[in-house]
Amino acid sequence: FFPIRKVERRFMKLRNVILAGICLLSLAASLLAQSTKPTAPAAETKAADTSAKEKAAQPAAESWLVLVDTAKLKESWEQAAQVFQKAVSKEDWASAVQQAREPLGKFKARKLKFSQYKDSLPGAPAGEYVLLQYESSFEAMEKASEVISLTLEKDGKWRVVGYFVR
């Protein structure tokens, strides 16, 4: 009786972590779908600044994704943002990603489809964020979409705060 309750509690905790991540990334995906068009010189300057931030975040995202692609899941947790690490334990993260990625098979390719800079995200701490959407392929799923969100931490490095694959 006791071990079953312990397993049920652990499952519920993991489910809540996954649901929170899905909610954050669903929100990020909806924000990615919205586009803005600058209309004034000040807006053009801001657009250039945000574009530079998007480009600066991309290598951090891609090196982090390599860790996930090669099943170095605990390392991917260690390379993630502090807010990410506080939200989910290393073991829960490794388990959740393994469950999500295993059915897809081996990673084959990915191409950046969309990026967007945000100076805030609803439900997230104040900060700077970049949302990236990749068109990806795996052995068992030829067309997949990966959404990864990063935040600029106090040390000036972009780090992952969310990941979702579908």
Side-chain angles (χ1 to χ4, degrees), residues 31 46 50 53 81 83 116-131 149-154 157-159 161:
L31 290 172
K46 184 178 179 182
T50 60
K53 290 178 181 182
V83 68
Q116 186 175 32
Y117 170 83
K118 289 289 196 182
D119 55 12
S120 66
L121 288 177
E128 296 184 76
Y129 297 90
V130 170
L131 309 172
S149 53
L150 297 98
T151 188
L152 186 62
E153 291 201 311
K154 291 177 183 177
K157 293 183 180 178
W158 289 97
R159 291 197 175 86
V161 292

Side-chain angles (χ1 to χ4, degrees), residues 52-102:
K53 290 178 181 182
E54 291 168 11
K55 287 180 182 172
Q58 190 176 345
E62 291 173 359
S63 66
W64 186 86
L65 284 166
V66 168
L67 295 174
V68 174
D69 295 339
T70 57
K72 295 178 180 174
L73 304 178
K74 291 184 178 183
E75 287 180 49
S76 71
W77 182 90
E78 292 166 359
Q79 296 295 319
Q82 289 179 359
V83 68
F84 179 98
Q85 294 173 350
K86 289 177 184 175
V88 61
S89 73
K90 190 184 297 189
E91 291 75 20
D92 287 346
W93 167 249
S95 176
V97 174
Q98 186 176 9
Q99 288 176 8
R101 290 282 300 260
E102 195 171 283

Side-chain angles (χ1 to χ4, degrees), residues 39-46:
T39 58
E44 289 175 12
T45 302
K46 184 178 179 182

Side-chain angles (χ1 to χ4, degrees), residues 109-163:
R110 102 177 15 99
K111 180 181 177 184
L112 183 65
K113 186 176 178 181
F114 191 85
S115 65
Q116 186 175 32
Y117 170 83
K118 289 289 196 182
D119 55 12
S120 66
L121 288 177
E128 296 184 76
Y129 297 90
V130 170
L131 309 172
L132 302 167
Q133 182 179 7
Y134 290 89
E135 189 174 278
S136 306
S137 64
F138 299 87
E139 283 180 338
M141 182 179 273
E142 201 56 39
K143 281 192 163 190
S145 177
E146 291 178 292
V147 178
I148 186 168
S149 53
L150 297 98
T151 188
L152 186 62
E153 291 201 311
K154 291 177 183 177
D155 64 0
K157 293 183 180 178
W158 289 97
R159 291 197 175 86
V160 173
V161 292
Y163 172 74

